[in-house]
């Protein structure tokens, strides 16, 4: 078979096609005399070797498929003897349609980064891998790696097939899911999410909206107290290089000295609000009723917030604020003991608004005014209805590197949800913003460190020259920076343990919501920020984190983390002592027994409870009697005659008691009636049964006497006698009527 020089598909005539068939080369089409193929010129020895490799891969169940440009994964699998089955577009589309029809709730919106090209243009000069892929095109795929969660429908997979995505991971990889799940942490562990996750609210529900408004107002009060304390301090004497906010406050004060003064009673109001908040935490407000007047009315709150804007955002001064410094310091010390996030709040009361199901920083904005935040969220009613907006407290006092904000991208791997098995990657990297940190502007170039945003911006000339142009650092470089400040030990004692604990807590809250499918794993990317004490704060968790080698840092680390992922997922399956690279096992819970689903083989065991005194229904008996024995009126008249009998017996018994005559054996003796008898009620239910046939057939009736609330109670012998006397013999209806008339 003749090969083309360009490496592209050649055109074979009918004669060449016949020659190709004789050489056992697979043809792609037999319907046309002219066929386009992409096969190289293999000699018989190489063709035999290729078929042997394919047969071995099929026998060893080493067929994989990749969707997306992952050259590292592809090369690592081929080095292990795996053969790729190319995932064409039509097959992928069918998989997606099947997955959508199955009702998948979470789509690829929670992915960290999507690649524009789904199929990588790999280098295969001799077309060997393409030929091997053709040989296994009809075989089962045993390993899937995709960058989209909905690319494969896991419901149609076999148990032995491995895939790199769990279903329903949106319960913690979306901003809304993470916000709601962490509130349930107290059911899983004795930990407070406010110690590692900035408080957030979903403004779709009215209760969430009211809670956010109360939080904003309370934060305004604490921010005002901080402002009073900081104004009294000597900011230039402290000179903390990584905290520029104090310097910015001082500049504002010098710039706006001509601003009007704000009355000092607003400080008293702030102190009162904080005091009531402390009392509510200590449950000392339970005695207050609904009629108790609130601290501030809506009009008073509006006036207070307006004055706060003038002070915190406009640079206005508070008259005689120096007289309240000691009270403000004492209140802040009390709040610090019960409010873990007091240190990150700052004085500007800035909040960050995030679309709940988007990634790569899209749609994220910062705002510091309450009316502005509510107005931004109310722009799109559809997002509000679907609970897509998240409002989270912004960390106003982060740790800065050379005056620039950064965040930390930390990878972790989940290989099982029952038992929960988590692997922590020892390497991470920092992402910087292109502009120096400042609260004077809320632009995304200053406050968002996503590489998908910063890579399109030019670094500022005012930014420190120690920050690289690609806006990334290895963790080793950051540790050198900490060592220059004498804080290198805090990385191993504070930062790393804090990130490990936070990741485990976030996964614990989502464990019950996940479908624990065996032979499934997923690599996640968590974003952290550090405060002034190097305490890590979780910002979000991303599914399908980007593995693009966009910088020298990601080119080094992303390749390593992919290779180490395969070591954990594949190599360790064969050898439990295999090298796992930089992955460290940080959590493995005890397995929880899950009952096997039996489906239609469910069995209900038990026995029927029999009624001890079955009585035929009166309605059915009456209907049957009316059909056989005449109209209903005649039956009702006979019933009235029978029902008159108990009254006669009752009168006879009462007359005997009055005359103190000896009673019949069925009634209690005179000695037993020393105590007064409160009441005697006798009910005689009747069952009508037909006897014989014809017009002269009669009915049987029987009566049962029930005596209630009689003191003193009768003995068993007396009760038996009483029932014998009160029960009439079974006679025909005519005899019963004659005795009644007598």
């Amino acid at each position: 078979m003749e090969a083309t020089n360009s490496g592209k598909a050649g055109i074979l005539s009918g004669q060449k096609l016949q020659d190709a068939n004789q050489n056992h080369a697979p043809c792609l089409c037999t319907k046309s005399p002219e066929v386009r193929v992409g096969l190289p010129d293999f000699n018989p020895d190489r063709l035999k070797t290729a078929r042997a490799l394919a047969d071995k891969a099929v026998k060893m169940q080493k067929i994989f498929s990749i969707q997306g440009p992952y050259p590292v994964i592809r090369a690592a699998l081929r080095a292990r003897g795996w053969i790729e089955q190319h995932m064409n577009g039509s097959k992928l589309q069918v998989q997606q349609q099947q997955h959508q029809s199955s009702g998948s709730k979470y789509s690829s919106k929670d992915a960290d980064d999507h690649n524009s090209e789904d199929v990588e243009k790999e280098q295969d000069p001799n077309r060997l891998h393409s030929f091997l892929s053709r040989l296994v095109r009809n075989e089962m795929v045993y390993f899937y790696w995709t960058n989209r969660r909905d690319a494969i429908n896991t419901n149609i997979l076999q148990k032995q097939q491995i895939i790199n995505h769990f279903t329903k991971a949106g319960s913690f990889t979306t901003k809304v899911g993470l916000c709601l799940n962490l509130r349930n942490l107290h059911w899983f562990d004795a930990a407070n999410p406010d110690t590692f996750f900035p408080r957030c609210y979903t403004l779709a529900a009215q209760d969430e909206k009211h809670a956010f408004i109360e939080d904003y107002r309370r934060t305004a009060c604490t921010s005002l107290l901080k402002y009073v304390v900081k104004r009294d301090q000597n900011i230039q004497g402290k000179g903390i290089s990584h905290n520029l906010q104090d310097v910015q406050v001082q500049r504002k004060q010098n710039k706006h000295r001509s601003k009007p003064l704000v009355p000092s009673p607003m400080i008293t109001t702030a102190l009162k609000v904080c005091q009531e908040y402390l009392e509510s935490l200590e449950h000392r407000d339970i005695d207050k009723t609904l009629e108790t007047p609130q601290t501030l009315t809506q009009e008073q709150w509006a006036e207070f917030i307006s004055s706060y804007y003038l002070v915190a955002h406009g640079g206005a001064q508070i008259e005689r604020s120096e007289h309240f410094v000691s009270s403000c310091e004492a209140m802040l010390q009390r709040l610090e003991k019960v409010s873990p996030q007091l240190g990150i709040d700052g004085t500007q009361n800035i909040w960050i608004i995030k679309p709940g199901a988007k990634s790569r920083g899209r749609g994220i904005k910062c705002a510091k005014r309450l009316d502005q935040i509510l107005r931004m969220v109310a722009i799109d009613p559809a997002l509000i209805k679907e609970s897509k907006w998240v409002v989270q407290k912004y960390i106003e006092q982060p740790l800065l590197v050379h005056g620039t904000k950064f965040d930390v991208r930390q990878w972790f791997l989940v290989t099982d949800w029952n038992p929960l098995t988590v692997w922590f990657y020892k390497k991470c990297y920092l992402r910087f913003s292109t502009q120096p940190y400042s609260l004077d502007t809320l632009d995304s170039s200053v406050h968002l460190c996503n590489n998908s945003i910063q890579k399109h911006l030019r670094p500022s000339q005012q930014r420190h020259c120690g920050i690289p142009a690609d806006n990334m650092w290895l963790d080793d470089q950051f540790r050198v920076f900490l060592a220059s400040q004498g804080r290198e030990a805090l990385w191993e004692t504070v930062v790393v343990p804090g990130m490990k604990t936070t990741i485990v807590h976030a996964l614990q809250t989502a464990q019950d919501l996940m479908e624990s499918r065996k032979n499934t794993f997923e690599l996640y990317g968590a974003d952290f920020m550090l405060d002034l004490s190097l305490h890590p704060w979780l910002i979000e968790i991303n599914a399908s984190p980007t593995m693009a080698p966009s910088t020298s840092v990601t080119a080094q680390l992303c390749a390593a983390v992919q290779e180490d992922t395969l070591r954990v997922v594949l190599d360790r399956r064969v050898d439990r002592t295999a090298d796992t690279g930089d992955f460290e096992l940080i959590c493995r819970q005890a397995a929880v027994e899950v009952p096997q689903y039996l489906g239609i083989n469910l069995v209900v065991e038990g026995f029927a409870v029999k009624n001890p005194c079955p009585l035929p229904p009166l309605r059915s008996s009456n209907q049957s009697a009316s059909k056989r024995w005449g109209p209903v009126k005649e039956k009702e008249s006979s019933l009235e005659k029978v029902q008159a009998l108990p009254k006669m017996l009752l009168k006879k018994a009462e007359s005997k008691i009055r005359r103190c005559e000896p009673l019949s054996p069925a009634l209690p003796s005179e000695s037993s009636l020393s105590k007064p008898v409160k009441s005697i009620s006798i009910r005689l239910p009747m069952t009508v049964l037909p006897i014989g046939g014809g017009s002269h057939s009669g009915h049987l009736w029987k009566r049962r006497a029930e005596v209630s609330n009689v003191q003193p109670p009768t003995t068993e012998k007396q009760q038996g006698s009483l029932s014998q006397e009160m029960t009439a013999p079974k006679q025909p209806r005519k005899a019963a009527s004659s005795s009644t008339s007598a």
Side-chain angles (χ1 to χ4, degrees):
M1 187 171 69
E2 186 177 357
T4 58
N5 297 328
S6 61
K8 297 183 179 180
I11 301 177
L12 300 180
S13 62
Q15 183 64 30
K16 291 184 178 181
L17 179 62
Q18 183 178 1
D19 296 338
N21 292 333
Q22 293 177 357
N23 293 331
H24 304 286
C27 65
L28 299 181
C29 182
T30 60
K31 296 181 180 180
S32 175
E34 191 172 77
V35 182
R36 292 182 176 271
V37 297
L39 300 180
D41 186 8
F42 285 114
N43 56 43
D45 294 336
R46 296 188 62 186
L47 184 60
K48 183 178 180 180
T49 303
R51 290 186 179 277
L53 292 175
D55 294 339
K56 182 179 179 180
V58 172
K59 183 178 180 180
M60 300 292 294
Q61 298 184 352
K62 289 187 175 182
I63 310 299
F64 74 94
S65 184
I66 292 180
Q67 180 253 327
Y70 293 98
V72 177
I73 297 295
R74 182 175 284 108
L77 288 174
R78 287 172 178 172
R80 289 170 169 83
W82 290 68
I83 295 179
E84 180 179 6
Q85 181 188 110
H86 289 298
M87 184 183 294
N88 52 44
S90 60
K91 182 177 180 180
L92 178 62
Q93 185 177 4
V94 171
Q95 291 276 9
Q96 292 176 354
Q97 292 177 355
Q98 292 176 348
H99 194 46
Q100 292 174 0
S101 63
S102 63
S104 176
K105 183 178 180 181
Y106 302 104
S107 63
S108 59
K109 293 181 180 179
D110 55 356
D112 176 44
D113 198 4
H114 298 163
N115 300 280
S116 58
E117 298 180 358
D118 290 339
V119 180
E120 177 195 4
K121 296 179 180 179
E122 59 174 335
Q123 295 181 357
D124 189 11
N126 57 6
R127 307 292 292 173
L128 173 62
H129 298 300
S130 299
F131 179 67
L132 291 174
S133 179
R134 294 285 182 180
L135 294 178
V136 298
R137 63 184 181 274
N138 296 324
E139 301 295 335
M140 176 184 291
V141 176
Y142 293 95
F143 185 91
Y144 283 102
W145 184 292
T146 67
N147 64 351
R148 298 175 62 91
R149 187 180 311 281
D150 55 356
I152 302 296
N153 184 4
T154 58
N155 296 326
I156 62 176
L157 294 180
Q158 301 289 335
K159 292 183 178 180
Q160 64 270 27
Q161 292 180 287
I162 305 173
I163 191 171
N164 70 323
H165 287 295
F166 288 100
T167 57
K168 297 183 179 180
S171 58
F172 68 96
T173 57
T174 59
K175 300 173 180 63
V176 174
L178 186 63
C179 173
L180 298 179
N181 282 343
L182 285 178
R183 298 179 184 178
N184 301 323
L185 180 59
H186 61 278
W187 297 107
F188 302 91
D189 205 330
N192 184 7
D194 290 340
T195 59
F196 60 85
F197 185 68
R199 58 194 185 275
C200 64
Y201 302 91
T202 59
L203 300 186
Q206 289 297 322
D207 56 344
E208 291 273 321
K209 183 177 179 180
H210 293 324
F212 162 68
I213 294 175
E214 292 180 1
D215 195 337
Y216 183 91
R217 292 171 175 175
R218 185 172 59 251
T219 305
C221 295
T222 57
S223 300
L224 183 65
L225 301 184
K226 288 184 178 181
Y227 174 85
V228 173
V229 174
K230 287 187 176 182
R231 182 180 181 275
D232 188 70
Q233 295 174 351
N234 187 0
I235 301 178
Q236 296 179 354
K238 300 186 71 172
I240 301 178
S241 60
H242 53 264
N243 185 10
L244 299 182
Q245 188 175 3
D246 295 336
V247 180
Q248 296 166 2
V249 172
Q250 183 66 25
R251 290 176 181 175
K252 279 187 176 182
Q253 294 175 356
N254 297 334
K255 183 178 179 180
H256 301 284
R257 290 189 182 278
S258 59
K259 294 290 182 178
L261 295 177
V262 177
S264 59
M266 69 176 303
I267 302 179
T268 306
T269 302
L271 290 171
K272 187 176 181 181
V273 171
C274 294
Q275 177 62 30
E276 291 190 353
Y277 174 67
L278 291 174
E279 292 179 355
S280 65
L281 295 179
E282 298 173 357
H283 305 290
R284 289 191 291 170
D285 59 339
I286 58 177
D287 295 332
K288 294 183 179 180
T289 61
L290 296 177
E291 290 76 14
T292 303
Q294 299 180 356
T295 305
L296 297 177
T297 61
Q298 296 296 330
E299 293 77 11
Q300 292 174 339
W301 268 120
E303 182 180 357
F304 176 84
I305 294 298
S306 299
S307 301
Y308 167 75
Y309 291 156
L310 293 176
V311 175
H313 306 158
Q317 303 293 331
I318 304 177
E319 59 181 4
R320 295 179 298 176
S321 61
E322 62 275 4
H323 300 291
F324 299 90
V325 174
S326 58
S327 300
C328 294
E329 288 180 344
M331 180 58 68
L332 291 175
Q333 291 177 0
R334 295 176 58 191
L335 289 171
E336 189 176 6
K337 297 178 181 179
V338 297
S339 184
Q341 300 186 16
L342 185 65
I344 66 174
D345 284 345
T347 61
Q348 300 292 311
N349 203 359
I350 301 176
W351 293 74
I352 185 167
I353 300 95
K354 306 177 182 179
K358 290 185 178 181
S359 61
R360 294 175 286 166
R362 293 173 296 176
I364 297 179
K365 297 180 180 180
C366 295
K368 59 174 92 173
R369 294 178 62 96
L370 179 60
D371 54 348
Q372 182 183 5
I373 296 174
L374 298 177
R375 186 168 57 252
M376 291 171 59
V377 174
I379 292 177
D380 194 345
L383 292 179
I384 296 179
K385 184 178 180 180
E386 298 177 3
S387 303
K388 296 298 184 179
W389 283 110
V390 171
V391 179
Q392 189 173 30
K393 186 65 185 71
Y394 184 72
I395 301 177
E396 299 183 28
Q397 300 187 86
L399 179 68
L400 305 177
V401 173
H402 301 310
T404 307
K405 182 183 176 181
F406 69 94
D407 65 6
V408 180
R409 167 57 63 90
Q410 177 64 58
W411 289 300
F412 65 94
L413 177 68
V414 178
T415 55
D416 201 348
W417 285 95
N418 183 25
L420 179 61
T421 308
V422 187
W423 299 79
F424 183 85
Y425 203 64
K426 299 177 183 178
K427 299 291 185 180
C428 60
Y429 65 96
L430 277 64
R431 305 180 301 182
F432 293 94
S433 61
T434 55
Q435 308 296 322
Y437 183 70
S438 173
L439 294 180
D440 294 336
T441 177
L442 299 180
D443 190 75
S444 58
S445 62
V446 178
H447 301 282
L448 297 183
C449 301
N450 302 66
N451 184 58
S452 57
I453 294 177
Q454 299 295 338
K455 67 181 181 181
H456 300 293
L457 304 176
R458 179 177 299 178
S460 173
Q461 297 295 333
Q462 287 76 27
R463 195 178 68 168
H464 195 276
C465 60
I467 306 298
D470 57 6
N471 304 318
M472 288 189 184
W473 260 9
L474 292 169
D475 58 332
D476 296 335
Q477 296 173 281
F478 180 63
R479 296 175 67 174
V480 172
F481 170 78
L482 294 178
S484 65
Q485 298 183 341
R487 311 173 73 186
E488 182 182 9
L490 295 180
W491 175 260
E492 294 293 341
T493 59
V494 178
V495 181
V496 174
M499 290 192 296
K500 291 180 180 179
T501 304
T502 298
I503 290 173
V504 173
H505 287 334
L507 298 179
Q508 284 177 327
T509 59
Q511 188 174 6
D512 292 343
L513 305 176
M514 299 296 297
E515 292 184 1
S516 180
R517 180 188 180 274
K518 301 301 180 182
N519 291 329
T520 308
F521 67 96
E522 189 158 10
L523 181 67
Y524 301 99
D527 294 337
F528 289 92
M529 287 187 61
L530 307 180
D531 59 14
L532 299 180
S533 61
L534 271 73
H535 178 76
W537 293 87
L538 177 63
I539 304 301
E540 62 181 2
I541 297 178
N542 301 280
S544 298
T546 177
M547 292 295 160
S550 56
T551 65
S552 59
V553 173
T554 55
Q556 175 183 347
L557 290 184
C558 291
V561 72
Q562 293 178 79
E563 177 66 33
D564 293 343
T565 300
L566 294 182
R567 288 192 177 103
V568 174
V569 175
L570 296 180
D571 299 350
R572 197 170 178 273
R573 292 165 62 93
V574 180
D575 182 9
R576 306 300 290 182
T577 62
D579 181 24
T580 58
D582 286 323
F583 271 113
E584 174 189 1
L585 182 63
I586 63 172
C587 177
R588 182 175 176 83
Q589 293 179 343
V592 179
E593 293 293 336
V594 178
Q596 185 178 3
Y597 176 67
L598 301 177
I600 60 175
N601 296 325
L602 292 176
V603 178
V604 179
E605 296 181 354
F607 57 91
V609 179
K610 297 182 179 180
N611 189 358
C613 299
L615 293 176
L618 296 178
R619 181 175 300 177
S620 60
S621 300
N622 293 341
Q623 291 176 357
S624 61
S626 62
K627 291 180 181 179
R628 295 186 179 182
W629 307 112
V632 180
K633 293 182 179 180
E634 182 179 351
K635 181 183 67 175
E636 292 178 352
S637 60
S638 62
L639 292 177
E640 292 176 358
K641 294 179 181 180
V642 175
Q643 290 177 356
L645 180 61
K647 297 181 180 180
M648 296 176 58
L649 294 177
L650 181 61
K651 291 181 180 180
K652 182 178 179 180
E654 291 178 352
S655 61
K656 289 183 178 181
I657 293 175
R658 293 192 189 96
R659 294 194 303 268
C660 298
E661 296 178 357
L663 297 177
S664 62
L667 295 177
S669 60
E670 183 177 359
S671 60
S672 63
L673 295 177
S674 58
K675 295 184 180 180
V677 178
K678 289 188 176 181
S679 62
I680 299 177
S681 61
I682 302 176
R683 297 199 303 269
L684 300 174
M686 181 190 70
T687 302
V688 179
L689 299 175
I691 300 178
S695 58
H696 298 286
S697 61
H699 294 268
L700 289 181
W701 57 270
K702 57 181 178 179
R703 298 181 298 273
R704 181 179 59 190
E706 296 179 4
V707 182
S708 62
N709 201 10
V710 180
Q711 295 181 359
T714 60
T715 62
E716 295 181 358
K717 183 176 180 181
Q718 293 171 342
Q719 289 179 355
S721 304
L722 181 60
S723 60
Q724 292 177 2
E725 182 173 343
M726 290 300 166
T727 303
K730 294 183 179 181
Q731 297 177 359
R733 185 175 59 177
K734 291 183 179 181
S737 302
S738 60
S739 61
T740 305
S741 60

